[in-house]
Amino acid sequence: MTSLLVKARRTRRTHRPQDGFDRRLIAPMILGSILNPINSSMLAVALIPIGRAFHASPAQTVWLVSGLYLATAVSQPVIGRLVDICGPRLLYLTGTSLVGLAGLLGVVAPNLGVLVLSRVLLGVGTSAAYPAAMYLLRAESDRTGRQNPTGVLTALSVANQVIAVIGPTLGGLLIGAGGWHLIFAINVPLSLACLVLGTVRLPKRPFSEWSGDRLDVTGMVLFAAMLTSFMLFLIEPSFGHWYMPVIGAAAATGFSFQETRHEQPFIDLRVLSGNIPLLATYARQLCAYITSYAFLYGYSQWLQDGRGLGATVAGLLLLPMSAAAIVVTTFTGRHPQVRGKLFVGAAVQLVGIVALLTVGPGSTLWWLAVIGVLIGIPQGLNGLANQNALYSQAEPARMGSSAGLLRTATYLGALVASAANAAFFQHGATTAGMHDMTWLLLVVGLVLLLLVLVDRSLRLVGRPQPSAQAPSTPAPSAPAPSAPAPSTPSTPTDRTAPSDPSTPPTPSNPRKAT
């Protein structure tokens, strides 16, 4: 009898639901994926206090922003490709361990240089969880042979959107409670929680089951050199740094040569160049987050320097932005169509940018909060819609690296935004500097709106396809080649797994509509 009870307990512990998504994976997926946005957004209200502590100007403290984003932009696709080959568990646990160590380093940092190093390590460590989560979504679709539960991808999107926008408020409260060191210290308990959840719940993948793909190390190194060189020049553009874009151009040439000739390239440029809708998704993500991060860091600094508010009050003034993003994401997240979300997000973002031209030292608090709402609405729409579009457009065998590239586009936008902050706030976060940066954001916002209007493929993402009327048979012409399955229409939040990822494209594939 005892042996039967023990066997029953073991069966319950090891049971994986065969008829749906394994919901035990949701907690580690979500907790790991929020590590990057929470570290990105909390710093927004800490730049001024850190600058005062180390007697550093905004042009120097901007490296706290740029260091994390540069490390993330380079690491996301690299780690995403490693996830595709080795599975998610090893990379997830390694990355989240590094997050805890980086948090400890930030707490004891004696100078700004060490603090920047801590942020770089945070960027690398937080780059593993999001590609791992997207890989697990696709793997679960393959395992069940059924649609992904609509709420799973939405929950992942909502968590990232919400954390990104409540981060400044949380950061302000932590700084008010114990100083800027707490925004680094919070990474230690978060890292430990991820390690426990990842160890207990993420599936193991023995070495013998690793993908047989050869690792394109040369391509990864050239990609990192190209991106790093261009971004370093963008952060500090000057004639004295002329060699940086030259190095970047040489690395880009070598990267293109390597990737078009390697049997199993790090980034398959031939496939990527033929997937115009996916490239458009990356471009929209870049434009959307240039504005989001320029506002996040520029506006919060201006509230403290230009408007004369404290870090805690500045964080609380960003709370309406958080609330707007949460409400919008919650009410629109379960709708798979993305074109309407992207159009509204781009249009409202333009309204918010124009409103920034009205701010000044005498602006009332209620008007500053309204501007936050106008920026929060597109934050709740754009990132979620682009992620849904990627899930529909990317090849399933490269879901990890494709998701990593989406995050790279996000943090390239953040790097452009931090460079803009450094350029326009050279003498502090003044009202004149804020208005000058707003004109740049207006151009970026118009480009985003144009990208949405001209992309006809967005009409097909999330919509039922006529060829998928027979729900019982996996007709080869119904699903997109990147969709994981048989009979139901491929949508960003509702995908099925094909028996052969190499199924040729058909007219029902969104990427053929452009």
Side-chain angles (χ1 to χ4, degrees), residues 464-484:
Q465 304 299 328
S467 58
Q469 296 299 318
S472 57
T473 337
S477 62
S482 58

Side-chain angles (χ1 to χ4, degrees), residues 130-395:
Y130 182 74
M134 295 297 285
Y135 179 96
L136 287 167
L137 280 172
R138 194 261 301 175
E140 281 297 288
S141 291
D142 290 344
R143 180 182 66 82
T144 61
R146 294 184 55 188
Q147 306 167 355
N148 246 349
T150 306
V152 177
L153 190 58
T154 301
L156 187 66
S157 302
V158 169
N160 280 266
Q161 292 292 322
V162 169
I163 289 297
V165 293
I166 68 172
T169 303
L170 176 60
L173 294 174
L174 288 174
I175 292 170
W180 60 264
H181 297 84
L182 289 183
I183 72 167
F184 289 88
I186 197 174
N187 285 290
V188 177
L190 288 175
S191 171
L192 290 174
C194 286
L195 286 173
V196 171
L197 287 171
T199 301
V200 172
R201 298 189 176 186
L202 294 185
K204 295 182 180 180
R205 188 173 182 179
F207 178 77
S208 59
E209 296 181 9
W210 286 15
S211 168
D213 292 356
R214 289 171 51 203
L215 194 60
D216 182 12
V217 177
T218 303
M220 291 178 176
V221 172
L222 289 171
F223 175 81
M226 172 188 68
L227 206 58
T228 303
S229 300
F230 284 134
M231 289 303 99
L232 287 176
F233 181 77
L234 181 63
I235 293 168
E236 288 190 356
S238 70
F239 182 76
H241 295 156
W242 62 268
Y243 56 90
M244 298 303 296
V246 173
I247 294 173
T253 303
F255 177 71
S256 300
F257 183 85
Q258 168 73 10
E259 299 307 279
T260 53
R261 285 160 179 78
H262 198 278
E263 292 181 3
Q264 295 163 339
F266 162 50
I267 298 175
D268 196 331
L269 297 181
R270 288 164 294 192
V271 172
L272 189 62
S273 63
N275 193 342
I276 303 301
L278 184 59
L279 292 175
T281 295
Y282 292 147
R284 289 193 305 272
Q285 189 84 342
L286 173 66
C287 291
Y289 279 91
I290 288 175
T291 298
S292 293
Y293 280 104
F295 179 85
L296 179 64
Y297 290 105
Y299 192 61
S300 58
Q301 289 186 81
W302 175 81
L303 287 174
Q304 296 173 73
D305 268 5
R307 183 62 174 76
L309 304 173
T312 301
V313 177
L316 290 174
L317 265 180
L318 294 177
L319 194 57
M321 177 183 71
S322 309
I326 292 170
V327 171
V328 168
T329 304
T330 302
F331 280 97
T332 64
R334 288 183 175 271
H335 299 285
Q337 291 82 11
V338 301
R339 192 172 188 271
K341 298 177 189 177
L342 289 168
F343 175 76
V344 173
V348 176
Q349 190 173 81
L350 277 174
V351 175
I353 292 170
V354 172
L356 285 174
L357 293 172
T358 67
V359 301
S363 296
T364 60
L365 296 182
W366 70 266
W367 177 240
L368 299 177
V370 168
I371 293 175
V373 171
L374 291 174
I375 298 296
I377 291 172
Q379 284 189 7
L381 291 171
N382 292 329
L384 174 60
N386 284 327
Q387 179 174 278
N388 289 350
L390 173 127
Y391 194 76
S392 175
Q393 296 160 348
E395 297 294 335

